[in-house]
């Protein structure tokens, strides 16, 4: 049995990567993310060196806060852009802007310009970078059809994030060894432009979104993401834990510089090597996380990732040796993969698609602010108490909060597990199987249970239709003009003809055994099914097929308006 379980998990792990490779849209989106985040990490290492040369550890912390504070303010205001139109266009614009700004920073450093100009350019680049992830996170569900595929996409993105965390700093360390910061910035600019180019040929059915009225208040639209998060205990909890992890991450941007140069004595290239250790661990962690892609315990694994993300930081303060620091920072990367898998998948499953980019915008705002505050606090603690007390103190935050949140996160797992059962049931219906995950999830949220005893009628021929039904268990006969024309069982739907054609019921449906149904009101069913070209086309085929098989002797009248 254990062998079968392991083979099943290995199959799920392989499927996580092959599903992304086979889907050309996912493949392009994921490679774009790799380019964007390789650029971000290389630029971060180069900027840390510029700041350290300018004013030591305090300057590194202040620059970290300077980069993140404007992003924390502006990202929620800008994220509605990704909810109003096609999200890949936002990603292209962001990547081009980052490439241009990072290239300008290379020119400033190359001509010996004042570091203050580099800091201003870093702020502009970071604002763009923090808008990239919410738009990308909101785009991924539209490229997927199932919760499994979305979890797979987040695992793959976590692996690419890890690879970028490894390649970006290592590339920066190599370039710093043989060239200088100018070349680091130039290479980061090229990676950003490559990320933009990959998205130019993205082709998918965007979710239907209502046109915004002309008088829509931009600030009100931006605040909607904050309102959605504050109104959901589950979303707020995930955001809070992400903020704690980001605080620790921000502290590490300072601590890795100080540990490498002052505590370990490995010099400036050692900053890149320490940062790369996190990336190396994250690569291994992402491969391990792929074994969990089919799990229904995402909340539990998210809590484990948050808790263990902080502990290695504390242990570096206890064991300040070079090899130990490499290994412990690699462990930080390992647990980061669990945070990516659990956190991003849970947020995408809990928030509605029409506000998804704004919800992720709130996340990026919190992350940016937490990183900036973490960097500043770490620099102050280092200045006041020393490097080792700073490591021990910062590292304890995440484990304490994760333990306190355990029960709530397990409750999320149970509720999403129930919805996954509903999604699996809906996917067995041909015209719904073609829908992307945000749409099928929207239908699953609107399902209402209906129990019909054996021998009772669900609806009569000639009734006004206001619901669509899917059979969860039991059987029912479809009776037209007094004759049984079909028998339906679990996983089959009925009632769509009256809704799609706006006519009265063309047949009677009667339970032949105890019938358990899931019902969808027409105002939930029609906008989704008709809003996507593939499902609208499939629905037309299904209706035509049914009417070819049986047409009432007298055409049903139009339902009353």
């Amino acid at each position: 049995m254990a062998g079968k379980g392991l083979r099943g998990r290995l199959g799920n792990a392989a499927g996580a990567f092959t599903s992304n490779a086979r889907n050309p849209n996912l493949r392009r989106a994921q490679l774009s993310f790799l380019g964007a985040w390789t650029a971000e990490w290389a630029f971060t290492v180069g900027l840390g060196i510029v700041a350290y040369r300018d004013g030591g550890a305090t300057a590194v912390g202040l620059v970290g806060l300077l980069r993140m504070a404007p992003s924390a303010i502006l990202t929620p205001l800008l994220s509605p852009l990704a909810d109003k139109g096609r999200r890949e266009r936002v990603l292209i614009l962001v990547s081009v802007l980052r490439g241009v700004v990072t290239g300008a920073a290379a020119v400033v450093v190359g001509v010996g310009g004042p570091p203050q100009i580099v800091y201003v350019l870093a702020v502009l680049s970071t604002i763009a970078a923090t808008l990239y992830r919410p738009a990308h996170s909101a785009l991924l569900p539209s490229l997927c059809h199932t919760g499994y595929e979305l979890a797979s996409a987040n695992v793959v993105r976590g692996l690419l994030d890890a690879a970028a965390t490894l390649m970006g700093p290592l590339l920066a360390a190599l370039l710093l060894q043989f060239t200088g910061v100018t070349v680091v910035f130039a290479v980061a600019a090229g990676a950003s432009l490559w990320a933009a180019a990959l998205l130019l040929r993205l082709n998918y059915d965007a979710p239907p979104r209502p046109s915004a009225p002309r008088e829509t208040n931009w600030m009100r639209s931006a605040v909607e993401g904050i309102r959605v998060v504050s109104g959901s205990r589950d979303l707020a909890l995930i955001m809070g834990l992400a903020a704690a992890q980001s605080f620790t991450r921000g502290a590490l941007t300072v601590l890795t510089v100080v540990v490498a140069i002052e505590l370990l004595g490995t010099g400036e290239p050692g900053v890149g090597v320490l940062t790369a250790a996190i990336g190396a661990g994250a690569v291994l962690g992402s491969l391990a996380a792929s074994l969990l892609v089919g799990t229904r315990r995402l909340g539990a694994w998210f809590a484990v990732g948050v808790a263990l993300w902080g502990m290695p930081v504390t242990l570096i303060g206890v064991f300040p040796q070079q090899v130990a620091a490499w290994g412990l920072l690699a462990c930080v990367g390992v647990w980061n993969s669990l945070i990516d898998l659990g956190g991003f998948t849970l947020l995408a499953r809990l928030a509605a698609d029409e506000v998804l980019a704004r919800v992720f915008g709130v996340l990026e705002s919190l992350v940016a602010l937490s990183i900036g505050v973490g960097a500043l606090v770490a620099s102050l603690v280092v200045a006041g108490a020393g490097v080792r007390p700073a490591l021990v103190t910062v590292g304890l935050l995440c484990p304490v909060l994760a333990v306190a949140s355990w029960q709530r996160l397990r409750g999320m797992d149970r509720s999403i597990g129930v919805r996954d059962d509903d999604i699996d049931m809906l996917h067995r219906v041909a015209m719904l199987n073609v829908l992307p995950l945000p749409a099928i999830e929207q239908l699953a949220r609107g399902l209402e249970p209906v129990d019909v005893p054996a021998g009772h009628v669900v609806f009569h021929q000639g009734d006004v239709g206001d619901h669509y039904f899917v059979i969860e268990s039991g059987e029912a006969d479809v009776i037209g003009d007094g004759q049984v024309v079909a028998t339906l069982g679990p996983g089959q739907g009925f009632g769509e003809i009256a809704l799609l054609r706006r006519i009265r019921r063309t047949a009677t449906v009667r339970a032949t055994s105890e019938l358990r149904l899931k019902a969808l009101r027409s105002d939930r069913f029609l906008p989704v099914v008709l809003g996507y070209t593939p499902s609208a086309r499939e629905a037309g085929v299904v209706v035509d097929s049914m009417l070819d098989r049986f047409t009432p002797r007298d055409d049903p009248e139009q339902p009353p308006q």
Side-chain angles (χ1 to χ4, degrees):
M1 292 296 292
K4 290 182 179 179
L6 178 59
R7 284 196 298 272
R9 290 192 176 186
L10 290 174
N12 281 338
F17 296 103
T18 57
S19 66
N20 280 244
R22 289 195 303 265
N23 185 327
N25 291 316
L26 269 180
R27 187 169 64 245
R28 287 180 173 276
Q30 301 284 39
L31 289 176
S32 174
F33 182 88
L34 175 64
W37 245 247
T38 298
E40 171 65 14
W41 278 106
F43 181 73
T44 298
V45 172
L47 183 65
I49 298 302
V50 171
Y52 190 82
R53 291 174 182 173
D54 187 34
T58 301
V60 177
L62 287 173
V63 170
L65 181 60
L66 177 67
R67 288 181 71 193
M68 296 304 172
S71 297
I73 296 170
L74 293 176
T75 300
L77 300 177
L78 297 174
S79 58
L81 290 171
D83 280 332
K84 298 300 182 185
R86 295 185 69 91
R87 287 161 177 160
E88 74 275 11
R89 295 174 184 170
V90 176
L91 296 174
I92 293 169
L93 177 63
V94 163
S95 297
V96 170
L97 177 60
R98 292 183 68 205
V100 171
V101 170
T102 308
V107 173
V108 172
V109 173
V111 300
Q116 290 77 13
I117 297 178
V118 176
Y119 301 155
V120 172
L121 292 170
V123 169
L124 295 176
S125 176
T126 305
I127 291 172
T130 51
L131 185 58
Y132 185 96
R133 193 185 284 265
H136 192 273
S137 298
L139 172 67
L140 285 184
S142 296
L143 308 180
C144 301
H145 287 83
T146 65
Y148 170 84
E149 194 173 12
L150 177 60
S152 299
N154 281 319
V155 164
V156 171
R157 191 177 71 171
L159 175 63
L160 296 178
D161 196 352
T165 309
L166 174 63
M167 293 190 303
L170 276 182
L171 184 59
L174 182 64
L175 294 173
L176 287 168
Q177 186 73 40
F178 295 103
T179 56
V181 175
T182 300
V183 178
V184 172
F185 286 173
V187 169
S192 291
L193 296 175
W194 178 66
L198 283 166
L199 297 171
L200 292 174
R201 294 175 58 192
L202 211 62
N203 182 25
Y204 68 102
D205 285 316
R209 301 185 183 99
S211 300
R214 294 180 181 179
E215 65 273 13
T216 294
N217 185 286
W218 183 264
M219 181 63 71
R220 187 181 306 151
S221 179
V223 171
E224 180 67 11
I226 299 174
R227 188 194 65 78
V228 170
V229 172
S230 62
S232 168
R233 290 177 58 195
D234 292 343
L235 290 175
L237 177 60
I238 295 170
M239 296 282 185
L241 291 175
Q245 184 255 354
S246 301
F247 176 91
T248 309
R249 172 183 160 192
L252 274 180
T253 63
V254 175
L255 294 173
T256 49
V257 175
V258 179
V259 167
I261 296 175
E262 297 183 10
L263 194 62
L264 301 180
T266 54
E268 292 180 354
V271 178
V273 174
L274 279 181
T275 309
I278 300 174
V283 170
L284 296 175
S286 296
L287 293 172
S290 67
L291 298 173
L292 304 174
V293 71
T295 184
R296 293 195 173 186
R297 297 179 180 178
L298 291 174
W301 286 112
F302 178 65
V304 170
V306 171
L308 297 181
W309 210 92
M311 283 305 300
V313 180
T314 294
L315 293 175
I316 292 173
V318 179
F319 305 104
Q321 288 87 33
Q322 184 172 336
V323 174
W326 289 346
L328 289 168
L329 286 176
C331 289
V332 168
V334 168
W335 305 124
N336 192 74
S337 61
L338 295 181
I339 296 174
D340 283 348
L341 169 63
F344 284 105
T345 305
L346 285 171
L347 287 176
R349 300 295 305 277
L350 292 171
D353 179 75
E354 60 267 21
V355 295
L356 194 53
R358 277 168 282 183
V359 168
F360 280 116
V362 173
L363 173 65
E364 288 304 308
S365 178
L366 285 173
V367 166
L369 181 61
S370 301
I371 288 174
V373 172
L376 181 60
V377 169
S379 66
L380 294 175
V381 175
V382 168
V387 181
R388 295 178 68 179
L391 288 164
V392 172
T393 304
V394 168
L396 290 175
L397 176 64
C398 284
V400 171
L401 294 180
V403 170
S405 306
W406 175 261
Q407 290 299 327
R408 185 70 190 175
L409 288 166
R410 290 296 291 125
M412 289 184 214
D413 287 341
R414 288 188 288 271
S415 64
I416 288 180
V418 172
R419 193 186 308 157
D420 278 337
D421 291 336
D422 288 339
I423 288 174
D424 290 342
M425 179 184 66
L426 292 175
H427 269 303
R428 291 156 66 184
V429 180
M431 68 177 167
L432 304 181
N433 188 47
V434 296
L435 290 170
L437 180 60
I440 204 77
E441 190 116 42
Q442 183 178 340
L443 292 179
R445 289 192 186 101
L447 288 173
E448 303 169 0
V450 176
D451 292 328
V452 182
H456 284 233
V457 170
V458 181
F459 54 72
H460 291 91
Q461 185 173 348
D463 286 350
V464 175
D466 55 4
H467 282 80
Y468 173 73
F469 300 90
V470 180
I471 299 177
E472 186 176 11
S473 65
E475 290 188 342
D477 283 339
V478 180
I479 304 169
D481 295 336
Q483 301 293 320
V484 175
V485 296
T487 298
L488 305 177
Q492 292 182 287
F494 60 90
E496 67 270 30
I497 296 177
L499 303 184
L500 293 169
R501 293 293 178 87
R502 296 188 59 80
I503 59 178
R504 294 184 182 273
R505 298 295 190 186
T506 58
T508 296
V509 176
R510 183 175 60 205
T512 57
S513 64
E514 185 176 349
L515 198 60
R516 300 192 65 180
L517 305 172
K518 289 295 180 73
L520 272 170
R521 295 199 314 267
S522 60
D523 59 345
R524 290 182 175 270
F525 174 79
L526 291 175
V528 173
V529 173
L530 298 181
Y532 288 82
T533 302
S535 58
R537 184 186 305 117
E538 183 65 28
V541 170
V542 169
V543 169
D544 290 342
S545 173
M546 289 180 175
L547 291 178
D548 284 345
R549 182 176 56 187
F550 168 75
T551 302
R553 283 194 298 265
D554 298 313
D555 291 336
E557 300 175 1
Q558 291 285 339
Q561 298 297 316

